[in-house]
Amino acid sequence: MSRHRIVIIGSGFAGLTAARRLKRANADITILARTSHHLFQPLLYQVATGILSEGDIAPTTREILKRQKNATVMQALVDGIDVEARVVKWRNHNDRFETPYDTLIVAAGAGQSYFGNDHFAVFAPGMKTIDDALELRARIFGAFEQAEQATDPAVVERLLTFVVVGAGPTGVEMAGQIRELASKTLKGEFRNIDPTKARVVLVDGASAPLPPFGEKLGAKARKSLEKLGVELRMNAFVTGVDADGVTLKQKDGTAETIASQCKVWAAGVQASELGKLLADATGAEVDRSGRVVVGKDLTLPGHPEIFVLGDMMSVPGVPGVAQGAIQSARFAADTVKARLRGRAPKRTEFSYFDKGSMATIARFKAVVKMGRLHLTGFTAWAAWCFLHLLYIVGFKSQVGTLVHWFFSFVSGARSHEPADGGPPGHGPVGRGRLRQAGRGRGRGRGDHRGAGVAGFRGGAAGCCAEGSAFAAPPRLPQRGRGVAGRRITGVARVAARRDGDEPVRSGNGFPPGHRFLSGSRGGGRGTSAGPSARRRIRSEAPRQAPIHCSTGSNLRRGSRRLWFSFRTMRFRVW
């Protein structure tokens, strides 16, 4: 008799918790996830503001589950579920696959919601993925760099104005960190501008920040933000976002336009599109946020073999936070284990236990609500640090986070400022640059400073227009001064060579923010290619794992050692 087949869609809190809880189950587990990593989303804003690196909060799923022999991880884009045949249809690049299941756990999470104005995303990235955080980091630090070189006072003011939309925990944390970055970390580093005069504007339709925390803690959070220098625009709704600023509408009908180049969207969530797909296939209902209405046992009506967990489930009284995902995953895993043993589960209905809410405002300032217990100030901040460190997956990530926190909070420095905040005078980066470049173009050449988008971002304009990272031209030439393909996004491949045409390193789809060095400091050149040229590029490169480093560190050929610079408060590899 074949073993029970469990398919888990998603590697977030719910998906990973369910897989680990089924470690000793007599079943074969297949995890299908868009990304190869597990993202600790509550600390994403610290990546965006340079406190942590992306590796600290996003360990690879394979590394986490390498000792769990009954689990197999597949990087997959699920685009179909046949509930009658019990098959999940997915693809990786242009290759299509089907995975049968006996039990299906859907925990694909949620994305950012722009409330029907998806075009806002070009100008105001959300805070849901590593790519979002890295793009925001480049925009934030790049705004200061461009302001240093600008001569028009109006342009400088627009560059040094940051707008954060949404006064929930993510928005409050982001606004506080940007203001602290400007007033303390970057103080004295520029000659033509004063970073301490940067404006940070927090916008929300509620009457006070942190509405779920209650009026008392909301008032304390407001006082702390104002003391920090954050401007609050409460009872205001965003009606327009473009490259030059944000348009607000107050409840009394008055309108206001804030000139700003760097905007952050931290308002609203939308469940994965798999929720609608699953509802259409099973006849289940979805709410206005795209979450699937499930039964008391978290299964779909008429399909007890399908569980919907985390941000994708609609259960009264369960907020879209990490604890809701973790507790629902534990309940579903226990139910599956009981079924495999032929026993009735101990609990037939899911009940959520509210362990409280936390939000940090700035260094040594936070608010905590745990039932009737309300904490503020340093005590709340210490509790926030301890609990977040406790829930980070993996000892290595915990130690790395603790070390970076120690130096960042003691010295005020950021150990992961971007090496290049974006080319001056070229406007927005990432999706904003793609929009400027147009659709379908990209056979240009760049000098790594951005004269050609294909040169600066590994063929982004040619390969990734319209969101299609798979239909790449056979070869996109690009040139760089020492660094070939500084930021590689999507599935672009890079082979870097030194002047003598000797292959040095080969990269294969590393996350954005990693740098591939082309030898010593000068004269490097590289080629970027899509899947059609992948095999040839791989054959030209040596069979050696690529050396890569996060932004803010440095690698050179020869012997390497780790050292710490007290001047810059950064670790370096030499």
Side-chain angles (χ1 to χ4, degrees), residues 296-298 327-335 347-350:
K296 294 181 179 180
D297 59 353
L298 305 184
Q327 292 182 31
S328 64
R330 290 172 178 170
F331 173 85
D334 291 343
T335 302
R347 294 190 299 162
T348 58
E349 296 183 3
F350 172 69

Side-chain angles (χ1 to χ4, degrees), residues 330-572:
R330 290 172 178 170
F331 173 85
D334 291 343
T335 302
V336 172
K337 287 192 293 185
R339 290 177 181 178
L340 292 176
R341 295 168 182 167
R343 303 174 183 174
K346 293 182 179 179
R347 294 190 299 162
T348 58
E349 296 183 3
F350 172 69
S351 59
Y352 173 70
F353 175 68
D354 187 1
K355 294 186 177 182
S357 303
M358 296 181 169
T360 180
I361 300 170
R363 184 172 48 168
F364 309 141
K365 296 179 180 179
V367 291
V368 173
K369 179 184 178 182
M370 293 186 293
R372 296 183 178 181
L373 178 62
H374 292 180
L375 300 176
T376 59
F378 180 81
T379 305
W381 180 83
W384 179 93
C385 288
F386 174 76
L387 288 177
H388 278 72
L389 195 64
L390 192 65
Y391 278 100
I392 293 177
V393 178
F395 178 74
K396 182 175 68 174
S397 297
Q398 290 175 330
V399 172
T401 301
L402 185 61
V403 170
H404 289 137
W405 276 357
F406 175 78
F407 288 109
S408 294
F409 295 145
V410 169
S411 68
R414 307 292 168 114
S415 57
H416 291 281
E417 297 179 19
D420 191 341
H426 283 264
V429 298
R431 66 194 82 185
R433 181 94 53 83
L434 271 180
R435 182 178 180 274
Q436 288 184 350
R439 298 177 178 178
R441 296 189 291 120
R443 288 185 175 269
R445 295 195 177 189
D447 62 354
H448 105 271
R449 299 297 297 174
V453 179
F456 188 79
R457 286 191 173 264
C463 297
C464 299
E466 298 281 354
S468 174
F470 311 113
R475 196 174 185 86
L476 289 173
Q478 62 178 26
R479 297 187 182 278
R481 296 172 184 162
V483 178
R486 291 185 67 113
R487 290 182 181 274
I488 311 305
T489 60
V491 295
R493 265 60 177 174
V494 168
R497 298 174 179 160
R498 291 187 295 139
D499 291 335
D501 284 342
E502 175 188 349
V504 177
R505 296 286 181 259
S506 166
N508 192 354
F510 282 94
H514 286 82
R515 297 166 53 190
F516 296 80
L517 306 190
S518 56
S520 55
R521 286 189 178 273
R525 60 186 176 85
T527 58
S528 172
S532 60
R534 192 184 316 150
R535 185 173 301 174
R536 180 169 53 79
I537 289 178
R538 191 174 292 142
S539 65
E540 292 177 357
R543 296 197 176 277
Q544 180 178 359
I547 296 177
H548 61 281
C549 60
S550 299
T551 305
S553 55
N554 190 16
L555 284 177
R556 289 191 180 181
R557 294 173 62 81
S559 62
R560 297 181 294 276
R561 67 177 184 271
L562 181 69
W563 62 283
F564 180 75
S565 169
F566 286 93
R567 182 179 66 83
T568 60
M569 302 301 292
R570 296 177 182 174
F571 282 101
R572 290 185 182 276

Side-chain angles (χ1 to χ4, degrees), residues 173-238:
E173 291 167 345
M174 193 69 185
Q177 283 300 322
I178 295 175
R179 183 58 198 153
E180 192 172 72
L181 173 72
S183 61
K184 296 180 180 179
T185 305
L186 300 181
K187 183 179 180 180
E189 292 189 4
F190 295 88
R191 299 297 175 261
N192 300 324
I193 62 171
D194 184 2
T196 62
K197 295 182 179 179
R199 296 175 61 200
V200 179
V201 183
L202 182 61
V203 180
D204 197 280
S207 59
L210 301 177
F213 287 69
E215 293 183 3
K216 184 178 179 180
L217 290 180
K220 288 185 176 292
R222 181 174 194 142
K223 184 178 180 180
S224 297
L225 287 168
E226 290 176 343
K227 185 177 180 180
L228 197 61
V230 178
E231 301 177 23
L232 276 72
R233 297 288 195 277
M234 298 292 103
N235 296 314
F237 301 92
V238 176

Side-chain angles (χ1 to χ4, degrees), residues 151-190:
T151 56
D152 187 347
V155 174
V156 173
E157 183 180 358
R158 178 172 61 86
L159 289 168
L160 294 184
T161 300
F162 302 87
V163 178
V164 180
V165 182
T170 301
V172 167
E173 291 167 345
M174 193 69 185
Q177 283 300 322
I178 295 175
R179 183 58 198 153
E180 192 172 72
L181 173 72
S183 61
K184 296 180 180 179
T185 305
L186 300 181
K187 183 179 180 180
E189 292 189 4
F190 295 88

Side-chain angles (χ1 to χ4, degrees), residues 44 112 114 121 124-129 132-133 136 264-266 431:
L44 201 58
Q112 205 72 58
Y114 290 86
M127 284 286 291
K128 290 297 182 182
T129 66
D132 290 338
L136 282 171
V264 182
W265 192 274
R431 66 194 82 185

